[in-house]
């Protein structure tokens, strides 16, 4: 079959990437979707079992920092577009091991930019779309929102590496005319999220009656977005976003961490048939994350206004769906938390 477009999605076996790959393979049967992923601890082909073998889907195991491999990949597939999600994504890991974040998030992005630049002699209809985070903007006080004009002020090695990659993507637009687009999104949640992140970590610990480690005073605020709403926004920006532009994506759904954990505890008590309050009693305030950003909040009016995007559900509903998914997929959870996860957990939280 002759495809209308061939699109490279990097990091498609990760949390957000797997939702995006599934969405694009299902909703664009006339596109060839090539998922390139290194399959680090965060990448898992089990996340994509339902679309394995589809005629418009190809998985390639590879590393975005490997220049020769990326050049070969671009030569072999002649991509029309790139949607770049591959990254080291966990802030706590960036604090203990910054170098892997520099390598993947900065060097890896430049390797891809170079491959696109080299292979796209004619850039008509091409698009290099870089997926980024609201963390590049730094930390807010009690009021205000991040807009696309907010000055960058990253505070963690993770956010500094993402900020750096954003700047490089924009530099390739201004310097070489590479047709780029960017988006900066708030905290995603939903099925297939690796249980190092707040929500699945809490769900997993509640299941096992383990302490629920809330950093610092628990009054840090995040804006939560259902992962499928992020995937839909990415699909929309890829097709309709203006070249050279940045779009902020957020759920308008702010929660203080402690309130979110309380809500999850109550949902889990209900789903597990436990007495009300049992899971809340597991909460344990622990040492704070160094350089912990106090509050993130996104002004998503540009993507609403220009592209008509809206989040489909709010966190109260999304948290319930997420908790139900993890309880229905305990085998997935058991597999990803065996082995190396135990060492990570011990190192991060000081217990097995
Ligand atoms: P994730 O950690 O779940 O997945 C990252 C994926 O990238 C994994 O499949 C991993 O195997 C792959 N990968 C890592 N290094 C690679 C390399 N060198 N070569 C090829 N593949 C590699 O991350 P996520 O939460 O799905 O985030 C995806 C992207 O979205 C990241 O760029 C992240 O910065 C951004 N983002 C995430 C959130 C969030 O809340 N999770 C919010 C905004 C933006
Ligand atoms: O804002 C977008 C970002 O959201 C993405 O760019 C990152 O890739 C993603 O990991 C996420 O970063 P956060 O640091 O906000 O997410 P995390 O789930 O690690 O933490 C959410 C909040 O919960 C944060 O304030 C720290 C706190 N926390 C986290 C963990 C893992 C705890 O209190 N206890 C914990 O054990």
């Amino acid at each position: 079959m002759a495809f209308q477009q061939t699109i490279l999605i990097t990091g498609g076996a990760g949390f957000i990437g797997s939702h995006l790959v599934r969405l694009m393979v299902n909703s664009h049967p006339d596109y060839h979707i090539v998922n390139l992923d290194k399959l680090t601890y965060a990448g898992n082909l089990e996340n994509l079992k339902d679309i394995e073998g589809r005629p418009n889907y190809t998985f390639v195991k590879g590393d975005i920092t490997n220049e020769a491999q990326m050049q070969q990949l671009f030569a072999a597939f002649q991509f029309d577009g790139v949607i770049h999600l591959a990254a080291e994504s966990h802030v706590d890991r960036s604090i203990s091991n910054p170098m892997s974040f520099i390598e993947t998030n900065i060097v890896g992005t430049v390797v891809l930019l170079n491959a696109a630049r080299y292979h796209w002699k004619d850039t008509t209809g091409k698009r290099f779309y870089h997926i980024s985070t609201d963390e590049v903007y730094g930390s807010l006080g009690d009021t205000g929102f991040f807009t696309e004009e907010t000055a960058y002020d990253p505070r963690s090695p993770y956010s500094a590496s993402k900020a750096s990659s954003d700047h490089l993507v924009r530099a390739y637009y201004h310097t070489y005319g590479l047709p780029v687009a960017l988006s900066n999104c708030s905290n995603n949640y939903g099925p297939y999220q690796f249980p190092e992140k707040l929500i699945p970590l809490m769900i997993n610990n509640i299941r096992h009656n383990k302490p629920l480690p809330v950093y610092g005073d628990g009054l840090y605020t995040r804006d939560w977005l259902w992962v499928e709403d992020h995937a839909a926004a990415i699909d929309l920006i890829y097709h309709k976003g203006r070249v050279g532009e940045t779009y902020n994506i957020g759920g308008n759904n702010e929660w203080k961490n402690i309130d979110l954990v309380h809500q999850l505890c109550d949902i889990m008590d209900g789903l597990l048939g436990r007495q009300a309050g049992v899971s809340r009693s597991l909460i344990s305030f622990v040492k704070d994350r160094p350089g912990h950003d106090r509050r993130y909040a996104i002004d998503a009016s540009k993507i609403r206004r220009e592209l008509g995007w809206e989040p489909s559900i709010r966190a109260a509903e999304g948290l319930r769906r997420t908790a139900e998914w993890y309880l229905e997929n305990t085998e997935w959870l058991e597999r990803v938390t065996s082995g190396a996860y135990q060492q990570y957990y011990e190192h991060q939280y000081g217990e097995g």
Side-chain angles (χ1 to χ4, degrees):
M1 172 176 176
F3 291 106
Q4 195 192 322
Q5 282 200 37
T6 300
I7 301 175
L8 171 65
I9 298 183
T10 71
F15 166 50
I16 301 169
S18 60
H19 288 273
L20 178 69
V21 166
R22 180 176 298 99
L23 172 76
M24 294 198 80
V25 165
N26 285 331
S27 59
H28 304 292
D30 48 342
Y31 290 2
H32 183 193
I33 303 297
V34 178
N35 171 10
L36 180 275
D37 198 295
K38 186 180 174 183
L39 300 181
T40 67
Y41 79 92
N44 186 350
L45 287 178
E46 260 191 76
N47 302 359
L48 289 164
K49 266 214 157 331
D50 54 323
I51 60 155
E52 240 174 38
R54 290 288 181 82
N56 66 333
Y57 173 62
T58 302
F59 173 74
V60 178
K61 185 166 187 237
D63 184 340
I64 58 165
T65 67
N66 183 330
E67 234 174 308
Q69 200 179 33
M70 292 308 105
Q71 289 287 346
Q72 275 165 15
L73 194 74
F74 273 73
F77 287 98
Q78 299 290 317
F79 299 117
D80 299 288
V82 175
I83 308 182
H84 173 38
L85 292 92
E88 288 294 336
S89 70
H90 193 47
V91 174
D92 293 325
R93 289 185 195 253
S94 82
I95 294 167
S96 35
N97 179 18
M99 195 51 89
S100 60
F101 286 69
I102 307 308
E103 282 160 0
T104 295
N105 300 0
I106 306 178
V107 176
T109 300
V110 176
V111 167
L112 288 172
L113 287 165
N114 282 342
R117 193 180 148 223
Y118 181 83
H119 287 275
W120 293 350
K121 300 291 182 233
D122 176 3
T123 56
T124 316
K126 302 287 195 291
R127 181 63 59 94
F128 188 106
Y129 177 12
H130 177 62
I131 306 304
S132 193
T133 171
D134 60 357
E135 300 200 9
V136 297
Y137 298 122
S139 184
L140 290 165
D142 290 341
T143 57
F145 295 90
F146 298 134
T147 73
E148 288 80 0
E149 276 71 48
T150 302
Y152 275 30
D153 186 20
R155 312 292 185 91
S156 71
Y158 164 69
S159 53
S161 70
K162 291 297 290 189
S164 178
S165 61
D166 291 10
H167 289 318
L168 285 156
V169 171
R170 292 194 186 100
Y172 273 61
Y173 170 63
H174 291 292
T175 309
Y176 306 113
L178 196 75
V180 307
L182 297 92
S183 57
N184 296 81
C185 186
S186 62
N187 287 60
N188 286 217
Y189 71 99
Y192 301 113
Q193 188 168 33
F194 191 78
E196 62 190 349
K197 307 287 200 290
L198 178 72
I199 290 175
L201 185 140
M202 294 295 167
I203 291 173
N204 192 41
N205 284 14
I206 291 170
R207 276 182 67 226
H208 292 293
N209 277 306
K210 284 176 63 172
L212 308 180
V214 173
Y215 294 162
D217 61 7
L219 300 178
Y220 294 86
T221 300
R222 296 290 181 268
D223 168 36
W224 293 95
L225 181 69
W226 178 242
V227 61
E228 290 179 10
D229 287 333
H230 188 193
I234 294 173
D235 188 21
L236 195 59
I237 292 169
Y238 177 76
H239 288 97
K240 305 245 172 75
R242 287 183 288 138
V243 172
E245 291 287 318
T246 296
Y247 295 86
N248 278 357
I249 308 171
N252 196 18
N253 214 2
E254 285 183 49
W255 289 72
K256 290 196 170 33
N257 290 339
I258 190 63
D259 295 335
L260 186 96
V261 173
H262 281 153
Q263 175 93 3
L264 255 186
C265 286
D266 297 348
I267 292 170
M268 289 292 285
D269 282 346
L271 294 174
L272 293 169
R274 289 182 183 170
Q275 221 179 357
V278 167
S279 298
R280 284 189 185 213
S281 69
L282 297 169
I283 291 172
S284 160
F285 290 92
V286 300
K287 193 156 109 2
D288 212 347
R289 172 185 280 175
H292 199 167
D293 289 333
R294 193 63 168 168
R295 175 172 167 260
Y296 303 144
I298 283 272
D299 175 346
S301 53
K302 179 174 174 180
I303 184 173
R304 284 172 201 265
R305 192 177 58 247
E306 285 192 16
L307 305 180
W309 173 86
E310 290 284 345
S312 68
I313 58 168
R314 297 192 60 76
E317 164 65 11
L319 285 177
R320 166 169 300 281
R321 283 197 208 173
T322 304
E324 284 170 352
W325 185 86
Y326 280 94
L327 291 181
E328 283 159 14
N329 290 275
T330 49
E331 282 175 15
W332 182 95
L333 202 45
E334 294 298 339
R335 272 197 286 276
V336 303
T337 53
S338 62
Y341 181 79
Q342 300 296 332
Q343 280 101 57
Y344 167 75
Y345 199 92
E346 193 166 333
H347 176 260
Q348 181 65 25
Y349 299 97
E351 54 178 285

